[in-house]
Amino acid sequence: MEKIPILRMGPFLLVTIQVDLYDRLAENLEADLVQMVSKTGAMGVLIDISAVSIIDSFMGRIIGNIASMSKIMDAETVVVGMQPAVAITLIELGLPLKGVQCALNVERGMDLLRAKIALNEGTPDDYFDTE
Amino acid sequence: MTILILNKEMMPVVKEQDVVPFRNRVKEYATKIGMGLVNQTKLITAASELVRNMLKYGKGGKVYIEVVSKGRENGIRLIFEDKGPGIPDVSLAMKDGFSTGKSLGLGLPGTRRLVSEFDIQSVVGEGTTVTVIKWKNG
Ligand SMILES: Nc1ncnc2c1ncn2[C@@H]1O[C@H](COP(=O)(O)OP(=O)(O)OP(=O)(O)O)[C@@H](O)[C@H]1O
Ligand SMILES: [Mg+2]
């Protein structure tokens, strides 16, 4: 069966959604991600949706669920790369996407995650500067 | 002004796996009439909401995809027809946040905001028909 790959990038998990999700695939992703967060102790989850052309209330709920479940396991979620047409549509649809932060691209998403984690733990920002 | 039907196609939607091909079909038609990306995205999102309702509450049904014209304006009309239980109080169902499915209750009111024209007819025990039009530039 088709599966959406989850990549590990240091303290974060990166999920790149390339296909338009159908329900089963989306629900599996939700379960897989939660399992990965608990297995790896990841501190953040990046969901790259730059290839996604449609977000309806179902998809929105999946993203919201991932964010709230990750939060329970002490990981932050950031959605990156939302297409402008998708963003405009989401607002008119009225989907709240509660607890979900957005960033323009993966790099900015990582910056945002680092900042949030530093804030949560009260550690200085340069804690993650390993380059 | 009268609405002319330029092209018409019917697609049955009875299972979850029918949703993505149906959405793709709507996209093909919207592209064919030259609808812009933002309007296309709104139309397909609305279509996705209505088709999910049809599957979840109406036990599936069929959708007519039509290319229509009114004067100089072309558009896509979608008619969602199911023979499910119907909706007892349509105006309540159209309210933001009303759901009998423990969901967000966004589908119907959100869809109305996304399309140019919206109509819903429902008879308890007989079924529900939702008709939407998105004009190319609307
Ligand atoms: N085709 C249908 N047949 C029977 N009842 C329907 C149909 N479509 C909608 N309804 C009823 O109208 C209510 C509101 O629908 P709406 O799409 O707005 O919200 P929802 O599907 O419950 O939640 P969401 O779409 O946000 O996931 C539904 O909960 C259901 O009771
Ligand atoms: Mg709905």
Side-chain angles (χ1 to χ4, degrees):
Chain A
M1 196 185 150
E2 245 184 311
K3 227 173 169 9
I4 294 168
I6 303 171
L7 289 180
R8 203 174 160 175
M9 291 176 69
F12 306 134
L13 298 177
L14 173 67
V15 187
T16 305
I17 300 177
Q18 298 280 11
V19 292
D20 275 332
L21 288 179
Y22 52 89
D23 303 18
R24 190 86 36 76
L25 201 58
E27 275 158 10
N28 286 348
L29 172 64
E30 204 180 302
D32 288 351
L33 249 182
V34 171
Q35 215 174 16
M36 275 288 269
V37 169
S38 81
K39 203 170 79 188
T40 62
M43 297 163 126
V45 177
L46 281 161
I47 306 176
D48 181 1
I49 58 165
S50 53
V52 174
S53 57
I54 294 293
I55 295 185
D56 60 5
S57 62
F58 174 83
M59 259 286 275
R61 201 159 49 238
I62 297 284
I63 294 173
N65 283 353
I66 290 172
S68 43
M69 287 197 264
S70 303
K71 188 82 208 164
I72 291 172
M73 293 185 294
D74 210 19
E76 301 284 346
T77 301
V78 172
V79 168
V80 300
M82 189 184 293
Q83 293 177 16
V86 172
I88 293 168
T89 300
L90 273 185
I91 290 168
E92 242 170 74
L93 183 63
L95 200 71
L97 281 187
K98 273 205 201 84
V100 180
Q101 298 252 0
C102 293
L104 221 47
N105 53 40
V106 174
E107 292 81 64
R108 295 227 194 153
M110 299 249 272
D111 288 345
L112 184 59
L113 280 179
R114 287 192 193 101
K116 287 181 70 128
I117 292 163
L119 204 70
N120 286 352
E121 303 193 337
T123 40
D125 220 11
D126 60 6
Y127 178 84
F128 289 100
D129 275 346
T130 45
E131 291 105 312
Chain B
M1 208 180 289
T2 47
I3 292 175
L4 293 174
I5 302 171
L6 306 178
N7 192 2
K8 186 173 185 146
E9 177 182 335
M10 191 274 281
M11 277 183 93
V13 177
V14 290
K15 53 186 189 304
E16 190 201 290
Q17 286 86 339
D18 296 337
V19 172
V20 173
F22 161 70
R23 290 200 315 213
N24 291 342
R25 202 87 184 112
V26 174
K27 189 175 176 65
E28 276 170 39
Y29 277 102
T31 309
K32 218 187 285 177
I33 68 163
M35 191 181 280
L37 184 61
V38 172
N39 277 346
Q40 263 190 42
T41 306
K42 289 180 182 180
L43 173 66
I44 299 162
T45 305
S48 189
E49 292 296 332
L50 293 174
V51 95
R52 283 190 197 291
N53 278 356
M54 201 165 84
L55 284 171
K56 188 169 173 187
Y57 305 108
K59 298 182 269 179
K62 46 192 174 184
V63 191
Y64 295 92
I65 309 172
E66 300 174 342
V67 177
V68 292
S69 80
K70 188 169 76 172
R72 291 167 172 213
E73 183 76 300
N74 279 358
I76 303 292
R77 177 160 68 188
L78 303 173
I79 306 169
F80 300 81
E81 222 178 72
D82 71 60
K83 303 221 176 309
I87 302 173
D89 186 342
V90 170
S91 55
L92 190 60
M94 288 304 300
K95 287 216 170 83
D96 270 311
F98 176 84
S99 174
T100 58
K102 295 202 181 81
S103 192
L104 299 170
L106 272 181
L108 289 176
T111 295
R112 179 156 66 181
R113 289 188 285 268
L114 291 172
V115 297
S116 317
E117 295 179 33
F118 182 97
D119 177 70
I120 180 166
Q121 304 290 331
S122 193
V123 179
V124 171
E126 286 182 20
T128 303
T129 301
V130 182
T131 305
V132 299
I133 298 178
K134 187 77 184 168
W135 297 114
K136 187 178 145 183
N137 303 303

